[in-house]
Amino acid sequence: MWKTKGALRILGIVFLSLLFSVPAFPQDFQKVSLAEEYLNRGEVEKALDLYEKLAKQNENLPLIHKNYFDLLLSTKDFKGAEKYLSRAVKKNPDVFVYQVDQGRLLAASDQNDLKDKFYEELIEAQGKDLNKIRGLAQEFYRAQEFDWAVATFKFGRKVSKNDGMFAHELANIYRLTNQKDPMVDEYVQMAVRNPKNRSYVKNVLQSTLGEPEDLESFEAYLIDHIQKDGKEEFYAELLIWTNLQQRNFYGAFIQARSLDKRKKSNGDQLMEVARMALQHKDYDNSIMVYDYVIQNYLESPNYYLARNAIINAREEQVKNTFPVDMEDIDELISSYQQLIEEVPPSIATFEARKNKAMLHALYKEDYDTAIKLLEEVTQGGRIPKNLKLECKISLGDIFLLKSQPWESRLLYAQVEKEGKETPIGYEAKLRSAKLSYYTGDFELAAGHLDVLKQATTREIANDAMSMSLLIKDNTALDTLRAPMEEYAAIDLLLFQKKNEEALSRLKKMLKDYPGHGLTDEIYYLMSKVYKEQGNFEAALESLKMVVQSGPEDILADDAAFEIADLYEHQIKDAQAAMDAYQSFLSDYPGSIHVEEARKRFRALRGDFPN
């Protein structure tokens, strides 16, 4: 075993020798390994004696320096260390590790004032040679002398008369040492000087500015720079981004409106703000921003997109306000029809047909009208392929609503083939898996799901994993198939909006199969039905039955998150929602919902004021 380790050490030594650009004598490798072995075994005197002999040959220094110098410091042999370093520096004046360690030696012997003076002189000695300045700074960094690394890079800026020099290096040091204000300034200035850096900088800031106080400080920084340099658009872009991170969609709207006016653009920034607001269920602000685009960008390509999107936002608001008001559905259908009649054929009108079709199918049971609208899109020319495929999936859904699963299977298979290895293709495969599951063909469903677990879309992969576990956990034994088949059939009833029948059969399952492994799934489905009926108290009780099974239950974290969501968006009890989110964060720290729950909790607490 030791021989293997020794061989690896020798390879490491060869690598170090190459870094130092000094050839090592092959005959000393064994002695170096032996000295290291003495050190590892705690035989300090033997190690020191052998290192001292090895140090007499300059070629050995790259191989032994760290261990030997650290050993001299640990044994407080400061005179020996001073003698050794003086000789090393004299023979290797361009190798900064020895000079940096001279400063470390001064600090170890309680001579910090001398260390500071020595390092200051060492930095100034590099003159205007930027390569040497970089090398010295990097050696300070490796020695974890971060303040001196910063001082060296700043000296380089001074002598080069370039305030942007070494920005990336400085930003990384500030990031490592958690100095967020100077880190932010370096990264932002990097992006201001070179627009190619902007995507990278945004990604870094997103990963490092996660706390409310970080975002508030960053917002103040940006406002200050906008006041000083209003012409630099990147500050405004980042301010929009900051408001979006804080879910201050109105604030993001104000900034995006100003930036779009200044750039004389088509409202692209505003459309992104509206889209983000809709994604986070801030329907009122989403609708307000889309309406602004409609009123102020009549000649922009975004005008037609916004007209479609604002109806879509209203649709999401209606469909997520329970119980759904059928008068609101009728108004949405009329709005889509008006758009189709008034706007020239475009992506907006094609999407309007698709959305209108699904309203007819899901809420009016007017399947013929829905199918006609979708076929108008799929059979039309010059329509994006993805939109056609989406409409085919919707057609498949409608045939499933009509209890014609064979037609659905054919359409899903067509989309799988035409959209192979794409998100829309994976979505079609997931639909096929669900269809097999609904009809009790669990083996075929499992085959589809095993493929989808590797899907590039996280949401699809998660859905596939959840359904796969549900099937495998409840079909392991032949005796368990009957309850699973009944459960899947009820799930299909819910898809078909036959909620009353589904609820009745779910209650019957609880009586027929007391204590069954599907009990939590049954309660979870019941909560969905009660929620759609507007019976929020019953929905809460059903979800609490799932949570009571314990945090190890696969649905427990989903149920706990749903409880908080109910309080926030349906019952409108902010304090109860905050309490529920806080309990969720405490009880389920590994849940996929943690990040979203944390953001919602902070928003409710007022960390991100509008």
Side-chain angles (χ1 to χ4, degrees), residues 132-145:
K132 287 187 176 181
I133 289 170
R134 185 188 298 275
L136 177 58
Q138 289 173 343
E139 190 53 53
F140 277 132
Y141 181 89
R142 281 193 289 269
Q144 297 187 30
E145 293 282 358

Side-chain angles (χ1 to χ4, degrees), residues 350-363:
F350 298 140
E351 288 186 345
R353 282 182 170 84
K354 177 173 76 74
N355 294 339
K356 182 173 182 283
M358 294 314 295
L359 290 175
H360 279 290
L362 289 169
Y363 295 97

Side-chain angles (χ1 to χ4, degrees), residues 281 283 316-325 363 497 499 527-536 562 565-566 569-572:
K281 299 184 179 181
Y283 303 116
E316 288 300 307
Q317 187 175 36
V318 169
K319 287 162 61 175
N320 286 281
T321 304
F322 301 107
V324 172
D325 189 325
Y363 295 97
K497 297 292 183 183
N499 289 353
S527 74
K528 290 185 177 181
V529 179
Y530 286 131
K531 178 181 175 181
E532 290 192 13
Q533 292 176 338
N535 189 348
F536 304 129
E562 281 291 325
D565 184 81
L566 270 174
H569 293 111
Q570 305 301 330
I571 302 173
K572 307 292 185 183

Side-chain angles (χ1 to χ4, degrees), residues 225-233 235-236 262:
H225 279 71
I226 288 172
Q227 291 172 345
K228 292 177 180 176
D229 183 9
K231 293 181 180 180
E232 178 49 62
E233 294 173 353
Y235 296 129
R262 191 158 65 247

